[in-house]
Amino acid sequence: MRLAIFDLDNTLISGDSDHAWGEYLIRVGAVDEERYRRANDEYLRNYEAGTLDIDDYLSFSLQPLAQHPRELLEAWRRGFMSQVIEPMVLPKAEALLDRHREAGDFLMIITATNRFVTAPIAERFKVDELIAIEVEERDGAYTGRVAGVPSFQRGKVTRLEAWLAEHPEIEREGCWFYSDSRNDLPLLERVDHPVAVDPDPTLKIEAERRGWTVMSLR
């Protein structure tokens, strides 16, 4: 079974789900508006510039999960899915997933956004597997800390390799990876079919230099 891997933010959806979740937390009054928005926006700029300190960012972004009851978090997440994520879903992205599905490929989303935010999005897209940043849990509550290796930059390669070692039925040959971001160059370099989707300026230059496919889902 051949593997087709997809980044999530600004690839399958027309925005950044992690940043959008932060904005949604502001909307529902879960965090301080001025302080949280300032930091959330700055971290997004750093991500886009390829300079994000992932440990620092996760210390910031995962804290709200530890500060509110799980039932309330899940209620907020349902509202976030319907009000924010659904309008971001790209019809061309759904069609691309369908083409790979019809070809018999195994569909995976690999994302640097945490599983709490992305699990229902992956379910919405009906993919076979999700690799995301894992949030530590204790006694049924989130601690606000990361569990394991963050799936960010080279961490995506590390997490994928670990997953493949546990799934020998999945072919390594002929693997596809679709992404918009310079941060995903380590994984794009490892697959047989790298595809730059509505790429940021740095990835666009690299994709054209290397002869990779460049496409749009917008």
Side-chain angles (χ1 to χ4, degrees):
M1 186 176 290
R2 191 176 59 173
L3 184 60
I5 309 171
F6 303 84
D7 178 44
L8 175 62
D9 299 318
N10 286 303
T11 300
L12 294 180
I13 61 174
S14 62
D16 186 291
S17 60
D18 221 353
H19 183 266
W21 171 247
E23 282 293 310
Y24 191 77
L25 291 177
I26 293 170
R27 187 191 309 177
V28 298
V31 293
D32 176 75
E33 179 174 359
E34 183 178 354
R35 182 192 65 81
Y36 203 89
R37 177 170 287 129
R38 185 187 312 114
N40 199 34
D41 290 349
E42 180 65 20
Y43 284 122
L44 179 61
R45 286 191 290 270
N46 292 342
Y47 173 82
E48 292 172 344
T51 60
L52 179 67
D53 181 328
I54 188 62
D55 295 325
D56 189 47
Y57 172 64
L58 292 173
S59 178
F60 161 79
S61 66
L62 299 182
Q63 275 308 300
L65 298 182
Q67 294 169 345
H68 300 281
R70 189 155 185 158
E71 288 185 5
L72 182 57
L73 289 167
E74 291 174 356
W76 285 338
R77 185 173 62 178
R78 288 191 294 272
F80 175 68
M81 279 296 299
S82 62
Q83 298 168 35
V84 179
I85 294 299
E86 194 61 37
M88 288 185 181
V89 172
L90 296 166
K92 289 183 180 179
E94 293 187 288
L96 176 62
L97 287 164
D98 284 341
R99 288 198 295 274
H100 277 283
R101 190 176 288 114
E102 290 163 6
D105 297 336
F106 187 96
L107 307 185
M108 171 187 287
I109 288 174
I110 184 164
T111 176
T113 300
N114 68 76
R115 181 174 293 274
F116 177 81
V117 170
T118 58
I121 306 175
E123 184 178 351
R124 164 66 176 77
F125 280 118
K126 298 182 174 65
V127 299
D128 301 299
E129 184 65 39
L130 169 67
I131 293 178
I133 287 176
E134 302 293 343
V135 188
E136 182 185 72
E137 296 182 50
R138 184 174 299 165
D139 299 326
Y142 294 111
T143 66
R145 293 188 290 270
V146 179
V149 176
S151 45
F152 174 66
Q153 294 182 344
R154 294 192 181 280
K156 285 192 176 183
V157 177
T158 301
R159 292 284 303 280
L160 178 62
E161 289 293 336
W163 185 88
L164 285 169
E166 297 176 355
H167 295 84
E169 72 278 10
I170 303 296
E171 296 180 13
R172 291 173 178 259
E173 300 294 324
C175 180
W176 295 78
F177 180 41
Y178 297 84
S179 176
D180 73 292
S181 176
R182 63 193 293 169
N183 291 289
D184 285 336
L185 279 167
L187 184 50
L188 286 162
E189 292 170 343
R190 296 290 290 269
V191 301
D192 291 329
H193 301 290
V195 182
V197 179
D198 299 294
D200 64 36
T202 297
L203 179 55
K204 188 174 188 294
I205 291 169
E206 283 298 304
E208 291 173 346
R209 183 177 71 82
R210 299 173 191 233
W212 294 346
T213 299
V214 178
M215 66 179 296
S216 176
L217 295 177
R218 303 299 176 104

